[in-house]
Amino acid sequence: MKPDLKPLSVILLLVGLSVPVDGCPPRCKCDWKTKHVSCTGVELVPLFHLSLQEVWLVRTKLAYIPQNAFASLPNISHIYISDDSALRSLERNSFYNLLRCLPLFIKTLSYIHPEAFKELPNLKYLGITNTGLTSFPVLQYVQSRQEDFILEIVENVFLRVIPANSFTGVSENALTVMLNGNGLTEIQDYAFNGSQLEEVYLHRNMDLEHIAEYAFYGVIHGPTHLDLSETKVHSLPSIGMSSIEILQVRKTWALKALPPFSAFLHLQSAYMTFASHCCGLKMLKRWRREEHFCNQTRAAVTQLQESFTVLGNNLPNHLKNNFQTPTYHRNNPGIWGLDKKAKDEGLFDVDLSSEALGEELDFALCDDLHQDTGPLCTPLPDALNPCEDVMSQGFLRVLVWVVSLLAISANLLVLFILLTSQQKLSVTRFLLGHLAFADGCMGMYLLLIATVDYYTHSNYYHYAISWQTGSGCQMAGILSLFASELSVYTLTAISFQRWHAIFNAMRPDRQMRLRHAAVLMLIGWLLCGTVAFLPVLGVNTYQRVSICLPMDSETVVAQFYIVSVLILNIMAFIVVSLCYLHIYCMVHNPQHDSSRCDTSMAKRMAVLIFTNFLCLAPICFYGLVAVFHQPLMTITDSKVCIFLWIVDPCLLALQYSWINLFAHFSLECDSKLFRKYLLIIFPQIISAIF
Ligand SMILES: *[C@@H]1O[C@H](CO)[C@@H](O)[C@H](O)[C@H]1NC(C)=O
Ligand SMILES: *[C@@H]1O[C@H](CO)[C@@H](O)[C@H](O)[C@H]1NC(C)=O
Ligand SMILES: *[C@@H]1O[C@H](CO)[C@@H](O)[C@H](O)[C@H]1NC(C)=O
């Protein structure tokens, strides 16, 4: 890359030839008042007049900037170089030490001599924009003495790595580093070692995945502002974050977990990607306070220790230990966590007067801490992602374990009985098997949710993103939707089959055969499978909420999906209702053969349909709320509702199959059966009323 250096004399000769010593060089425009020259399309660095202060080289055809090219300009303060054809390298000492401002826009630049930027004590701004650099330029000889140096290295798409000590020696004072839009993939350990950082911008480094744990190690001070938006960073270092006041990680989708929030001691504003991160940062306020009082107790104990040493005593051990695990007494911070025992021993007779402590205690700081409302954080947790556990209510937490274990064991038993039964497989038994399978799946979903809840209890926000965006949640979502839809479908199929049986009671040739039922269930499986897999294919998403249900209603497609599922369920409900209504009419008809059924069954049927409707109501309600973006119901409420919606058919189906299995189910109605049915309906009504 590096071209052979022509002998200096030749260059000077060429330069000298091309330019008159007085006046403006060719292809340049000079403004003698402002001492400004701007040249377009030059092939060699012209020889400029000594008094010039500002040089603009636009669309040059230079192949490189030779050594000491600007050394003859004692008063130069700005050099602006933009090039889009030829310039490939900057040689040693390219720039003169009085320079204040140096923006470079050189697409083809691929080599910068390590000493190109050397001893530039007045430099306040160095910009290297849109170049073809492949390695980070050596900046350690810049040695600026200016305040607030700005280093802007942006849009260099081939710049991959920031190695150790990249910013050492750039400036004696604080430094603002803008590294936006480069092709960075990695920031290595000690990258910022030995520098004083003010603001560090790294946004739009789309390939930046890794920031080494020690990247900010050895920083003298700062950074106070860190911007990692629109990168692929998956973790932040926990070292060196304590001075950050503003943290920006918007659209940083890979950053699922933050370092322990105690790393962000001075954080004031945070712009996050995920709302759940703000839940964790909320705790920062309390932690800061506690930390402060710990420090105060430590200070107090040091004093006590001194007093004791003066008295020729050692501090009683229990007191020491008490301070080593400091406790902050919110209501009575005045006693610095001394326990009662210490007070009883009269330790307060030791001179621990307010005067002596007064210096130790920064009361202003106390006030500050009192006003500290925790960092400002966006996005704020919303109705879909509140700062709460998976199962926020205590009774849900218990219920989910009970129901899941019950559903799994009971349905396994049903399946076991059906499969090992000596009797010939009837249509009813076949359908019941499917129902048991669907409910077993639902039980597994609930068990999964219960387990996640157990492991993330009381700090779900920490795991929220990795759970919700992971494959576990996706699996749970598929399982839940498939199981609940299959359950609804099978219930419908059973209702239909019973209606069909009663309707054709006189015509044995028209009874449903096993192969019909098999086709019916095959359709059901395909339908429910499709419904459950659509969110994975992007129609909706299981990632929005902690219980992994498709609750996205942002796009029209997602809304359409929710509405479709709702309509499917309502249709199933209507079919079930019509079936039972017709059965009711038939059994009331004295001409019909089935009329020997208990007439009171009809009333019970009405109750059944009514409770079915109640079960469906919450999901309809939720669906409408979600589709029309009306925050009538928070996720906390809807969790309960949805839960009941899931649990209801689950319980219903469970009891249905149990009773059917053991009541020697016959196609004719049976008053005993319906009396038992009432037993099912009762808990249902209770849960629906919740
Ligand atoms: C540089 O600037 C100083 C002060 O502004 C001036 O006295 C001096 O003549 C300038 N040098 C040249 C070579 O123009
Ligand atoms: C960090 O910088 C200091 C001087 O600023 C230097 O002595 C030390 O070797 C550097 N550490 C690493 C690991 O490069
Ligand atoms: C507590 O003290 C340690 C060292 O003594 C210090 O680094 C830390 O910043 C202090 N924390 C607070 C909240 O004052």
PDB file of all heavy atoms in Angstrom, residues 164-165 168-169 189-195 217-220, ligand 2:
ATOM      1  N   ALA A 164      -5.879  -2.364  21.857  1.00  0.00           N
ATOM      2  CA  ALA A 164      -5.535  -1.785  23.152  1.00  0.00           C
ATOM      3  C   ALA A 164      -4.819  -0.448  22.965  1.00  0.00           C
ATOM      4  O   ALA A 164      -4.138  -0.229  21.960  1.00  0.00           O
ATOM      5  CB  ALA A 164      -4.655  -2.750  23.920  1.00  0.00           C
ATOM      6  N   ASN A 165      -5.006   0.416  23.921  1.00  0.00           N
ATOM      7  CA  ASN A 165      -4.313   1.707  23.984  1.00  0.00           C
ATOM      8  C   ASN A 165      -4.506   2.586  22.750  1.00  0.00           C
ATOM      9  O   ASN A 165      -3.614   3.341  22.378  1.00  0.00           O
ATOM     10  CB  ASN A 165      -2.813   1.485  24.211  1.00  0.00           C
ATOM     11  CG  ASN A 165      -2.562   0.723  25.492  1.00  0.00           C
ATOM     12  OD1 ASN A 165      -3.114   1.060  26.537  1.00  0.00           O
ATOM     13  ND2 ASN A 165      -1.764  -0.316  25.407  1.00  0.00           N
ATOM     14  N   THR A 168      -4.518   6.373  23.864  1.00  0.00           N
ATOM     15  CA  THR A 168      -3.477   6.890  24.744  1.00  0.00           C
ATOM     16  C   THR A 168      -2.745   8.006  24.020  1.00  0.00           C
ATOM     17  O   THR A 168      -2.424   7.872  22.845  1.00  0.00           O
ATOM     18  CB  THR A 168      -2.459   5.778  25.078  1.00  0.00           C
ATOM     19  OG1 THR A 168      -3.173   4.580  25.267  1.00  0.00           O
ATOM     20  CG2 THR A 168      -1.657   6.117  26.300  1.00  0.00           C
ATOM     21  N   GLY A 169      -2.522   9.103  24.687  1.00  0.00           N
ATOM     22  CA  GLY A 169      -1.703  10.154  24.109  1.00  0.00           C
ATOM     23  C   GLY A 169      -2.398  11.034  23.099  1.00  0.00           C
ATOM     24  O   GLY A 169      -1.777  11.911  22.514  1.00  0.00           O
ATOM     25  N   ASP A 189      -9.638  -5.541  24.913  1.00  0.00           N
ATOM     26  CA  ASP A 189      -9.252  -5.155  26.269  1.00  0.00           C
ATOM     27  C   ASP A 189      -8.319  -3.942  26.219  1.00  0.00           C
ATOM     28  O   ASP A 189      -7.494  -3.834  25.316  1.00  0.00           O
ATOM     29  CB  ASP A 189      -8.514  -6.321  26.938  1.00  0.00           C
ATOM     30  CG  ASP A 189      -9.485  -7.381  27.446  1.00  0.00           C
ATOM     31  OD1 ASP A 189     -10.627  -7.008  27.797  1.00  0.00           O
ATOM     32  OD2 ASP A 189      -9.113  -8.561  27.485  1.00  0.00           O
ATOM     33  N   TYR A 190      -8.466  -3.082  27.178  1.00  0.00           N
ATOM     34  CA  TYR A 190      -7.624  -1.884  27.339  1.00  0.00           C
ATOM     35  C   TYR A 190      -7.715  -0.906  26.172  1.00  0.00           C
ATOM     36  O   TYR A 190      -6.836  -0.066  25.997  1.00  0.00           O
ATOM     37  CB  TYR A 190      -6.142  -2.258  27.545  1.00  0.00           C
ATOM     38  CG  TYR A 190      -5.933  -3.255  28.641  1.00  0.00           C
ATOM     39  CD1 TYR A 190      -5.677  -4.583  28.352  1.00  0.00           C
ATOM     40  CD2 TYR A 190      -6.020  -2.867  29.976  1.00  0.00           C
ATOM     41  CE1 TYR A 190      -5.508  -5.520  29.361  1.00  0.00           C
ATOM     42  CE2 TYR A 190      -5.853  -3.799  30.988  1.00  0.00           C
ATOM     43  CZ  TYR A 190      -5.595  -5.115  30.684  1.00  0.00           C
ATOM     44  OH  TYR A 190      -5.434  -6.025  31.665  1.00  0.00           O
ATOM     45  N   ALA A 191      -8.751  -0.999  25.352  1.00  0.00           N
ATOM     46  CA  ALA A 191      -8.857  -0.125  24.185  1.00  0.00           C
ATOM     47  C   ALA A 191      -8.767   1.346  24.588  1.00  0.00           C
ATOM     48  O   ALA A 191      -8.163   2.152  23.893  1.00  0.00           O
ATOM     49  CB  ALA A 191     -10.160  -0.397  23.450  1.00  0.00           C
ATOM     50  N   PHE A 192      -9.384   1.690  25.708  1.00  0.00           N
ATOM     51  CA  PHE A 192      -9.426   3.092  26.100  1.00  0.00           C
ATOM     52  C   PHE A 192      -8.422   3.397  27.213  1.00  0.00           C
ATOM     53  O   PHE A 192      -8.484   4.447  27.835  1.00  0.00           O
ATOM     54  CB  PHE A 192     -10.844   3.458  26.551  1.00  0.00           C
ATOM     55  CG  PHE A 192     -11.868   3.336  25.459  1.00  0.00           C
ATOM     56  CD1 PHE A 192     -12.573   2.159  25.270  1.00  0.00           C
ATOM     57  CD2 PHE A 192     -12.109   4.394  24.602  1.00  0.00           C
ATOM     58  CE1 PHE A 192     -13.507   2.041  24.256  1.00  0.00           C
ATOM     59  CE2 PHE A 192     -13.040   4.285  23.584  1.00  0.00           C
ATOM     60  CZ  PHE A 192     -13.747   3.111  23.413  1.00  0.00           C
ATOM     61  N   ASN A 193      -7.525   2.467  27.453  1.00  0.00           N
ATOM     62  CA  ASN A 193      -6.540   2.612  28.534  1.00  0.00           C
ATOM     63  C   ASN A 193      -5.806   3.954  28.442  1.00  0.00           C
ATOM     64  O   ASN A 193      -5.413   4.393  27.369  1.00  0.00           O
ATOM     65  CB  ASN A 193      -5.540   1.450  28.424  1.00  0.00           C
ATOM     66  CG  ASN A 193      -4.493   1.478  29.508  1.00  0.00           C
ATOM     67  OD1 ASN A 193      -4.746   1.963  30.611  1.00  0.00           O
ATOM     68  ND2 ASN A 193      -3.312   0.967  29.197  1.00  0.00           N
ATOM     69  N   GLY A 194      -5.657   4.589  29.562  1.00  0.00           N
ATOM     70  CA  GLY A 194      -4.834   5.789  29.636  1.00  0.00           C
ATOM     71  C   GLY A 194      -5.454   7.043  29.059  1.00  0.00           C
ATOM     72  O   GLY A 194      -4.767   8.038  28.857  1.00  0.00           O
ATOM     73  N   SER A 195      -6.757   7.028  28.756  1.00  0.00           N
ATOM     74  CA  SER A 195      -7.360   8.246  28.213  1.00  0.00           C
ATOM     75  C   SER A 195      -8.391   8.788  29.195  1.00  0.00           C
ATOM     76  O   SER A 195      -8.862   8.088  30.076  1.00  0.00           O
ATOM     77  CB  SER A 195      -8.029   7.946  26.872  1.00  0.00           C
ATOM     78  OG  SER A 195      -9.039   6.986  27.044  1.00  0.00           O
ATOM     79  N   TYR A 217     -10.979  -0.553  31.023  1.00  0.00           N
ATOM     80  CA  TYR A 217     -10.066  -0.640  32.157  1.00  0.00           C
ATOM     81  C   TYR A 217      -8.901   0.314  31.911  1.00  0.00           C
ATOM     82  O   TYR A 217      -8.424   0.470  30.809  1.00  0.00           O
ATOM     83  CB  TYR A 217      -9.553  -2.073  32.299  1.00  0.00           C
ATOM     84  CG  TYR A 217      -8.842  -2.328  33.594  1.00  0.00           C
ATOM     85  CD1 TYR A 217      -9.560  -2.627  34.745  1.00  0.00           C
ATOM     86  CD2 TYR A 217      -7.462  -2.245  33.667  1.00  0.00           C
ATOM     87  CE1 TYR A 217      -8.906  -2.846  35.932  1.00  0.00           C
ATOM     88  CE2 TYR A 217      -6.811  -2.466  34.855  1.00  0.00           C
ATOM     89  CZ  TYR A 217      -7.526  -2.762  35.988  1.00  0.00           C
ATOM     90  OH  TYR A 217      -6.887  -2.972  37.166  1.00  0.00           O
ATOM     91  N   GLY A 218      -8.457   0.965  32.962  1.00  0.00           N
ATOM     92  CA  GLY A 218      -7.323   1.876  32.833  1.00  0.00           C
ATOM     93  C   GLY A 218      -7.689   3.262  32.350  1.00  0.00           C
ATOM     94  O   GLY A 218      -6.817   4.098  32.133  1.00  0.00           O
ATOM     95  N   VAL A 219      -8.982   3.510  32.154  1.00  0.00           N
ATOM     96  CA  VAL A 219      -9.405   4.856  31.777  1.00  0.00           C
ATOM     97  C   VAL A 219      -9.184   5.769  32.981  1.00  0.00           C
ATOM     98  O   VAL A 219      -9.524   5.410  34.111  1.00  0.00           O
ATOM     99  CB  VAL A 219     -10.898   4.832  31.370  1.00  0.00           C
ATOM    100  CG1 VAL A 219     -11.432   6.232  31.195  1.00  0.00           C
ATOM    101  CG2 VAL A 219     -11.068   4.042  30.097  1.00  0.00           C
ATOM    102  N   ILE A 220      -8.599   6.923  32.731  1.00  0.00           N
ATOM    103  CA  ILE A 220      -8.292   7.814  33.847  1.00  0.00           C
ATOM    104  C   ILE A 220      -9.584   8.396  34.424  1.00  0.00           C
ATOM    105  O   ILE A 220      -9.755   8.521  35.621  1.00  0.00           O
ATOM    106  CB  ILE A 220      -7.348   8.948  33.376  1.00  0.00           C
ATOM    107  CG1 ILE A 220      -6.032   8.333  32.897  1.00  0.00           C
ATOM    108  CG2 ILE A 220      -7.100   9.949  34.495  1.00  0.00           C
ATOM    109  CD1 ILE A 220      -5.152   9.299  32.158  1.00  0.00           C
TER     110      ILE A 220
HETATM  111  C1  LIG B   2      -2.211   1.183  30.066  1.00  0.00           C
HETATM  112  O1  LIG B   2      -1.645   2.463  29.951  1.00  0.00           O
HETATM  113  C2  LIG B   2      -0.524   2.674  30.782  1.00  0.00           C
HETATM  114  C3  LIG B   2      -0.038   4.095  30.586  1.00  0.00           C
HETATM  115  O2  LIG B   2      -1.037   4.940  30.240  1.00  0.00           O
HETATM  116  C4  LIG B   2       0.582   1.701  30.420  1.00  0.00           C
HETATM  117  O3  LIG B   2       1.666   1.860  31.292  1.00  0.00           O
HETATM  118  C5  LIG B   2       0.050   0.287  30.546  1.00  0.00           C
HETATM  119  O4  LIG B   2       1.019  -0.625  30.108  1.00  0.00           O
HETATM  120  C6  LIG B   2      -1.178   0.128  29.696  1.00  0.00           C
HETATM  121  N1  LIG B   2      -1.741  -1.184  29.913  1.00  0.00           N
HETATM  122  C7  LIG B   2      -1.860  -2.080  28.938  1.00  0.00           C
HETATM  123  C8  LIG B   2      -2.409  -3.394  29.342  1.00  0.00           C
HETATM  124  O5  LIG B   2      -1.535  -1.854  27.799  1.00  0.00           O
END
